[in-house]
Every structure is written in C-alpha cells, then in structure tokens.
C-alpha cells in the first residue's frame, strides 16, 4: 500500500495551493482518506477527511471555508484545495487512509511541505 502526496511548495499569504494524494496497493472500498499536518516539534493535527464511498467531508475549524477536500474514485486520488493560505498553515501535510468504521488511520504517506510566507 502506498500513499503519495504531492503539490506542496512556497506561497505568499493569501495564495492557494492544491495538494494531491495518489493511493495504490489495495481496494479502497469502505475507506476514508484525509489530510493531517505537522509542524516540527508539535503534535500532528487533523485537517480534513472524506469518505471515499459517500463523499462526506469533515474539516478542522481552522480550515473551514478555506480548504476543500475532494476525491476522484476512478483514479484513487484525493485532493486538498487550499485557498486564503495563512502563515500558520505552514507545515508538512500528510495523506492518510483508514477504514470508515474505525476512528484511526491505518495507512500514512510521506508528507509534502507547505510554506506560507508573510
């Protein structure tokens, strides 16, 4: 199983980025996929999640109205459109997947760095 995140980079505050996560190695029926972020020295925090079957979404309050998670079931891809970026959004963003009936995530990918400058 592999989750490959991409799309990070350097952007000015107020700008936008789109992250992509390519999932492979198994059938993803009944799974949800999500994005988490981690700042060095701090705990990993939840950003957004989407049900791969239902398309139901959930967001952390800090990104509601600015970030949008979506999926392409045919391609086993999940995206995170990030608009109105803030300096405090700077982090390594990680893609993860887990069974929808569980609360934890089973699979984790390597992250992609997002840096927002003032």
């Amino acid at each position: 199983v592999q989750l490959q995140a991409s799309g990070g980079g350097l952007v000015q505050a107020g700008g936008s980025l789109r992250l992509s996560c390519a999932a492979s190695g198994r059938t993803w029926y009944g799974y949800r996929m999500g994005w988490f972020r981690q700042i060095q020295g701090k705990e990993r925090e939840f950003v957004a999640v989407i049900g791969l079957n239902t398309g139901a979404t959930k967001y952390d309050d800090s990104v509601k109205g600015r970030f949008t998670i979506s999926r392409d079931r045919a391609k086993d891809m999940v995206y995170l459109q990030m608009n109105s970026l803030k300096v405090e959004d700077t982090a390594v963003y990680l893609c993860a997947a887990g069974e929808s009936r569980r609360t934890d995530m089973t699979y984790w990918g390597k992250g992609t760095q997002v840096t927002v400058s003032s």
Side-chain angles (χ1 to χ4, degrees):
V1 173
Q2 187 174 19
L3 301 175
Q4 183 66 50
S6 61
L10 173 63
V11 64
Q12 285 191 326
S16 299
L17 280 174
R18 186 192 194 211
L19 305 184
S20 299
C21 178
S24 61
R26 65 159 297 132
T27 301
W28 296 103
Y29 182 84
Y31 272 69
R32 69 192 196 283
M33 290 182 65
W35 291 94
F36 294 73
R37 63 189 181 187
Q38 188 160 25
I39 301 170
Q40 193 171 9
K42 295 188 177 182
E43 288 189 4
R44 185 169 55 205
E45 60 182 38
F46 166 77
V47 176
V49 68
I50 186 166
L52 296 181
N53 296 349
T54 65
T57 60
K58 184 178 179 180
Y59 298 90
D60 183 77
D61 287 345
S62 65
V63 306
K64 278 182 183 176
R66 300 189 298 122
F67 291 10
T68 303
I69 189 170
S70 61
R71 91 286 196 210
D72 184 330
R73 294 177 63 184
K75 296 181 179 180
D76 286 339
M77 295 285 295
V78 172
Y79 306 97
L80 186 68
Q81 178 66 43
M82 305 187 295
N83 299 329
S84 302
L85 281 161
K86 304 176 181 180
V87 172
E88 51 265 40
D89 293 319
T90 295
V92 173
Y93 283 71
L94 303 110
C95 177
E99 293 181 62
S100 296
R101 62 185 178 89
R102 297 173 60 97
T103 57
D104 60 334
M105 291 299 201
T106 305
Y107 304 107
W108 292 86
K110 294 182 180 179
T112 184
Q113 176 71 45
V114 171
T115 303
V116 184
S117 63
S118 59

